[in-house]
Amino acid sequence: LSPRCDDAAVEEAADLALRQINADRDEGYVLSLYRIVSAREQPQEITGSVFYLILDVVDTECHVLSKKLWKNCNTRPAHSTVYGQCKAIIYINQARNIAHLNTYECTLQPVPSRYIWSICPDCPVDDSPTKPEYLEAAVRSLAKFNGESEQTHNFSVLNVTRASMQWVTGPAYFVEFLIQETSRSKDGTAADMSMSEPLPPEKIGFCKGSVVNSRVEQFVTISCEIYSQQDPATEEENQEANQ
């Protein structure tokens, strides 16, 4: 069958497929539904249907480790959005409350830099997060978090997941990165952070930081979310588990 893309059953299938795709991914950002490109439905002999979906998606500001639902995540500004397409096959049986994602494949790519610069010459453009200056910016902004947070232990940078640079009053570095809890307590000695071991089970966090340099001083900002593996599942997550 070829149902309409705005059919309620198709929209529900797309929602459930994208939830399970995001839950299966262990790196990157939560994907949000931009548009249902096509849908094919194959009714089963007894009950339920298999849906063959092609979905246009965009990434959000939520890291996949946050386990947030895509509808609860903010999409990014146009100049920093990563666009993509997911092909998914999902079996749905409403009578038995079953939604099983058989398989999926997603292809993602950012907007080309030359296009962004032609529209917005001053917009920061995503750069390689492995460059040393971005790791330094992450470490510097995390030091501010460690100094101000009420966490028992200090955190260290796990890896930089996204980075960009913009010239303001001087070079300004914007970074997004994962952090992990270490064995170094907040009231411990000023030992080198590199000597601190991650704590098992690891408490992971996701941070957004910036370091803006001017001729006279440096401005540092940081905001972090901490994800504990012991956090109780939300009611919505429990419903997904039952499905």
Side-chain angles (χ1 to χ4, degrees), residues 223-236:
S223 63
C224 297
E225 292 181 342
I226 307 300
Y227 311 131
S228 174
Q229 292 184 346
Q230 281 75 39
D231 283 348
T234 64
E235 182 180 349
E236 219 155 6

Side-chain angles (χ1 to χ4, degrees), residues 21-219:
I21 288 171
N22 285 321
D24 184 60
R25 298 167 65 233
D26 56 8
E27 61 181 29
Y29 295 84
V30 172
L31 300 176
S32 176
L33 181 63
Y34 181 74
R35 175 176 54 195
I36 300 173
V37 179
S38 72
R40 303 279 285 174
E41 180 183 359
Q42 183 180 11
Q44 300 300 286
E45 291 182 1
I46 306 174
T47 56
S49 290
V50 175
F51 289 88
Y52 299 82
L53 305 171
I54 300 179
L55 310 174
D56 280 349
V57 296
V58 294
D59 73 343
T60 67
E61 296 183 348
C62 301
H63 197 276
V64 291
L65 296 182
S66 70
K67 302 298 182 184
K68 292 181 180 179
L69 299 180
W70 66 268
K71 290 183 177 180
N72 297 334
C73 293
N74 295 325
T75 55
R76 294 179 180 273
H79 70 269
S80 63
T81 298
V82 171
Y83 295 84
Q85 193 170 81
C86 293
K87 298 178 179 179
I89 302 174
I90 185 170
Y91 169 71
I92 295 179
N93 186 326
Q94 288 187 328
R96 297 175 59 191
N97 199 27
I98 294 173
H100 177 69
L101 184 68
N102 293 330
T103 185
Y104 73 92
E105 181 183 16
C106 295
T107 305
L108 306 172
Q109 68 176 37
V111 176
S113 302
R114 63 182 183 277
Y115 176 76
I116 297 173
W117 285 327
S118 68
I119 302 297
C120 179
D122 295 328
C123 287
V125 175
D126 282 356
D127 198 0
S128 171
T130 59
K131 289 184 177 179
E133 55 263 39
Y134 296 120
L135 176 59
E136 181 182 346
V139 170
R140 193 171 294 275
S141 57
L142 181 59
K144 179 181 176 71
F145 173 78
N146 282 329
E148 298 175 352
S149 77
E150 298 180 355
Q151 297 290 323
T152 307
H153 294 86
N154 279 326
F155 284 75
S156 63
V157 176
L158 187 58
N159 67 301
V160 181
T161 57
R162 201 151 185 174
S164 60
M165 195 273 281
Q166 184 181 27
W167 196 268
V168 190
T169 54
Y173 300 99
F174 305 95
V175 286
E176 298 178 10
F177 54 98
L178 293 174
I179 59 175
Q180 61 184 351
E181 188 179 25
T182 70
S183 57
R184 181 185 170 195
S185 63
K186 295 293 288 292
D187 56 359
T189 61
D192 184 2
M193 281 297 292
S194 63
M195 301 297 291
S196 302
E197 296 292 331
L199 285 179
E202 293 177 359
K203 186 185 283 187
I204 302 293
F206 175 66
C207 300
K208 297 178 181 179
S210 69
V211 176
V212 180
N213 298 288
S214 70
R215 291 182 178 180
V216 292
E217 60 181 317
Q218 190 176 70
F219 302 92

